[in-house]
Each structure stands twice: as structure tokens, then as C-alpha cells.
Amino acid sequence: MPAAAPFPDWLIILSWSALYLGVGCAALILVDVARFPQHMGIMNVVWPVTALFGTVLVAALYFRYGRNAEPSHRGETHQTPETPFPIMVAKGTLHCGAGCTLGDVIAETLAFLFPAIAILFGWKTIFADKTYAVWILDFVLAFGLGIVFQYFAIVPMRKLAPLEGLREAFKADALSLICWQIGMYGLMFLAQRYFSASFGQQAKPDSPVFWFAMQIAMVAGFVTSFPANWWLIRAGIKEKM
């Protein structure tokens, strides 16, 4: 491994640019959903959260297929044109990914600010590398928040009791969440291997390079989770969105 070297200026600039773009797209959507709330309340959170990594692609999907139109004179809103099935799957995948994204961001931040948390999840006892211990925390929080997001989507739609809703949320999103995390972990593993080989260091959560890599990792999570959501929706296990 080469001696540690600063990340090059081009990578820092690229990272900040991608992060600012994500924040800008999220802010744009956040302002719009405040004016025209989604019929499914949890989607008011899903769209801006997923725009943090999906940037202009998520913003374009929102304004084309997710945004509620101008309220009518009766105070009602209506959905944009009929949604093709692949777009329904994309929306379902983003719904799953929003919980994963928040869970991963919270876990990585907590483990960086309070390293003892990583010790609780096996760092220095099971894992020599702190990364793998933090990934366990990532999975716990991402999976838990993902189920919560699905719960608040499925319970109002089906008018379920709390326990029944929790069971159905788990059934609808467990496979999708696992597939998302596999993609995220795989990309972050490759990114950190590249950083170590090229610059002699891994990117840490206090670096824009780390969060730029996380943006790409979330896109990878979307890609690996998309087929699972296709099957879940086609089989009627997960609701169309």
C-alpha cells in the first residue's frame, strides 16, 4: 500500500459538486412537496431523501411521475399521467432505499463521532477493520428504518392493525432491503479498496470523498434492489406506487 497522500483536488471538487447537487435537488423537491403534499404521506420524505444521492434523475422522476398536480377548485389533487410498470418499480425501490439511506447515514455518522459504538458491534474483537463492524450497525438501522417506511405506506393503504401492518411491511420489504444493502456494501468496498490502493488511505465520514462514494453506493443499492422490487410488486406482495 502506498504512503497516505491527500485526495487530489479533482476528486475533492467532484465530490463537493455531487453533494451540493444532491442537496439542491432535495431542497427543490422538499419545497414542492410542502406546497403539494403526496397522497401517501411517507413519500413526502422519500422523494427529498433519495434525491440526495439520485440528484437530477430522482428530481426528474418526481416531477414527471411523482408530483401531485395543481389542486383543483374542489381542493383535490390528482396524480400525473398513468405510471408505466417500470416506473412503479423504481418508485417502490426508492421508497425502500429512503429508509436504507437514512439508516446508513445515521450509522456512519454515529460510528465516526462515537467510535465505541463500533466496538459494541465487533470492532477489535471480531473485526480488525472498523468498516465491517460499522456495516453491521448500518444494516440494523437501515433495515429497521426501511421496515418503518414500508409500514407507514402499507398500513394506510390496506387499513391494517399495527401488528398485522408490521408483519406485512416485513414481508413486502425484507428482500428489497437486503438487496439494497448488498449493492451499497459492494460499491463501498470497491471504492475504499481503490482509495487505499491509490492514495494509501480510506475515505472517512469527515471527508466529502466518503459521502460522494456513498452517493454512488446508494445508486448501486438501487440497481441491486430493483429486480427484487419488480418481483415483489409483480407477485402482489408489495403495493404498486
Side-chain angles (χ1 to χ4, degrees):
M1 180 184 296
F7 291 117
D9 289 343
W10 67 264
L11 183 55
I12 298 291
I13 293 171
L14 179 61
S15 298
W16 278 122
S17 299
L19 294 172
Y20 280 128
L21 181 60
V23 170
C25 290
L28 177 64
I29 294 174
L30 194 59
V31 169
D32 197 75
V33 296
R35 295 178 61 212
F36 308 115
Q38 296 280 292
H39 293 303
M40 188 184 297
I42 194 65
M43 294 303 291
N44 294 320
V45 179
V46 169
W47 286 113
V49 166
T50 54
L52 290 171
F53 66 84
T55 65
V56 294
L57 294 177
V58 169
L61 184 65
Y62 167 76
F63 282 104
R64 179 68 179 88
Y65 290 107
R67 183 178 188 266
N68 281 338
E70 193 76 32
S72 70
H73 66 282
R74 295 182 179 177
E76 300 171 344
T77 57
H78 62 277
Q79 207 65 13
T80 47
E82 185 167 345
T83 307
F85 186 75
I87 301 298
M88 292 181 187
V89 176
K91 291 166 70 176
T93 306
L94 289 176
H95 177 269
C96 159
C100 291
T101 298
L102 287 177
D104 290 331
V105 169
I106 292 170
E108 294 289 347
T109 303
L110 285 176
F112 178 76
L113 294 176
F114 308 103
I117 293 176
I119 295 175
L120 294 176
F121 285 88
W123 182 36
K124 298 183 179 180
T125 53
I126 302 174
F127 308 108
D129 191 332
K130 179 182 175 183
T131 300
Y132 301 117
V134 176
W135 280 1
I136 295 177
L137 177 60
D138 280 352
F139 185 84
V140 170
L141 289 183
F143 195 89
L145 283 174
I147 294 299
V148 168
F149 271 57
Q150 183 61 35
Y151 176 89
F152 283 107
I154 207 168
V155 167
M157 291 174 71
R158 299 185 185 177
K159 296 180 172 56
L160 302 175
L163 287 179
E164 186 181 5
L166 188 61
R167 183 176 63 250
E168 291 301 309
F170 183 88
K171 185 169 68 173
D173 246 23
L175 176 62
S176 175
L177 291 163
I178 291 170
C179 290
W180 183 286
Q181 290 299 107
I182 289 172
M184 190 279 286
Y185 291 149
L187 196 289
M188 284 302 291
F189 175 80
L190 293 175
Q192 295 288 30
R193 286 290 296 270
Y194 168 75
F195 296 146
S196 295
S198 300
F199 310 113
Q201 62 174 317
Q202 292 189 350
K204 297 180 180 179
D206 60 347
S207 165
V209 175
F210 177 89
W211 295 108
F212 175 50
M214 283 289 282
Q215 279 185 315
I216 302 173
M218 294 304 168
V219 174
F222 177 89
V223 171
T224 54
S225 184
F226 187 89
N229 279 274
W230 187 292
W231 177 77
L232 288 166
I233 294 172
R234 181 70 77 186
I237 299 172
K238 188 170 183 175
E239 297 287 343
K240 295 178 180 178
M241 304 186 74

